[in-house]
Amino acid sequence: KNNDQRPTEQQQQQQRGSYGAIMGGGGGGGPGGGGASSSAASSSLLSVDEAVRLKFGYVVSCQIFGKQKKNDDPKAKDIELLLHRFPLLRVAYIDEVRVNRAGAVAFYSVLVKSSLGGGGGGAGGTTAGASSSSAASAESKEPPPQLASSSSPPLSVVEVYRVRLPGNPVIGEGKPENQSHAIIFTRGECLQTIDMNQDGFFEEALKMRNLLQEFRPGSPGVPEVPGALPTTIVGFREHIFTGAVSSLANYMALQELSFVTLGQRVLSEPLRMRLHYGHPDVFDKLWFATRGGVSKASKGINLSEDIFAGYNTIIRGGSVTMKEYVQVGKGRDVGMQQIYKFEAKLSQGNAEQCLSRDVSRIADRLDFPRLLAYYLGGIGHYINSALTILTIEVATYLALVLAVFDAESIGDRIIVSLGAIQIVLTYLALVL
């Protein structure tokens, strides 16, 4: 646009509303200056930061952050350093407060952020029932993108929200409970869950707008099919960046490529039976918030908490899709013991799924082709693996018994092949 059509600084301040004091300055200026000394470039930069905050929020759920602060754990200092370095970052944790001499404890879900000078929150920060003006004041003071210098006001970690809970929220599996207590602090209509071992790329972030349009049929590039179920989960592929560490790490990378990319591609289209197998899928937050949340956390039965979000989608009339124009990085296990524990967790979680009512309800409602696809991509994979291993063991020991009793031939014809490859495979089967 022309320069005469560009909004003035006063108009920008009016548009920002309650977020006008974002940097702690008086009239849109820097942390230590007034509005008269601020340039148009810095004003436009502030407006960009505010737009990013309104469109995107990053909440890290660290349920033991409160205990780490009380114990003066160095990890708490590291988390505070991250808060100061990244102004839009928020940390949610569970706080335990003793309320009387009898030892009764009250539990709170707390959201903290970095702020200039320690204002805008503190121990008496806003609660879940606070008005919008209170929430805006708590979000009003943000630190600069870089760490504070000696001449700038000191940075401190302050509370934004404190929500009292009816009891200890961690009564089931830790990971889903950790997710559930922090979801109330997220904004927007879509929610992406991502693990600590996953990575992001700038060029992939530029595609997020296109990815979110997959939830809205009729958007550019998203055909609207009459009578189609609403899209509630959008998944995408992962790039394993630890494959070159060792041969075992390469095995895990190939396994991830086989299932996450190739297998889920077929499960999504044409089988239409892809579920939620883990992060970093994007959820329709409004849809899941009214249907039990993004993961279940019952002790034992929900050991593999991610898959139950897919079960919830299928049972309650949603659909899952997968798009391959977006990817995230992911670090997989590189040691034998780590891989063993990870595979054991998956197997144990699948055994617990067989006992859940969700699997029974899905099996009762699916048509036969989709039921076979569900068997292939879920429980059936582990059943087939168990039968395959059992078959190899039976065949190996049967060959050993035939060799011991010199019964490997019928007449002059040998029934057991003694080629080099067969001998090597037999040895590996015995060892494993």
Side-chain angles (χ1 to χ4, degrees), residues 196-209:
M196 293 176 59
N197 63 334
Q198 292 177 324
D199 196 4
F201 308 100
F202 175 75
E203 60 272 17
E204 301 299 330
L206 298 177
K207 307 173 187 177
M208 184 56 67
R209 177 182 178 274

Side-chain angles (χ1 to χ4, degrees), residues 199-270:
D199 196 4
F201 308 100
F202 175 75
E203 60 272 17
E204 301 299 330
L206 298 177
K207 307 173 187 177
M208 184 56 67
R209 177 182 178 274
N210 303 75
L211 190 70
L212 296 181
Q213 284 186 337
E214 302 290 345
F215 291 101
R216 303 291 178 264
S219 302
V222 183
E224 185 174 3
V225 180
L229 298 175
T231 300
T232 54
I233 299 179
V234 176
F236 45 94
R237 66 185 301 270
E238 298 170 343
H239 164 67
I240 308 301
F241 55 78
T242 55
V245 175
S246 64
S247 58
L248 292 174
N250 186 39
Y251 159 75
M252 291 297 292
L254 293 176
Q255 182 193 53
E256 200 81 6
L257 174 66
S258 173
F259 178 71
V260 175
T261 301
L262 303 179
Q264 293 187 21
R265 176 190 300 166
V266 177
L267 289 173
S268 176
E269 192 68 37

Side-chain angles (χ1 to χ4, degrees), residues 151-187:
S151 59
S152 60
L155 296 174
S156 60
V157 176
V158 298
E159 292 183 5
V160 182
Y161 297 107
R162 173 176 285 266
V163 181
R164 182 161 184 172
L165 304 174
N168 187 2
V170 185
I171 57 177
E173 297 296 335
K175 182 179 178 182
E177 296 282 22
N178 197 23
Q179 292 178 0
S180 299
H181 96 91
I183 287 180
I184 60 174
F185 300 126
T186 60
R187 290 182 175 183

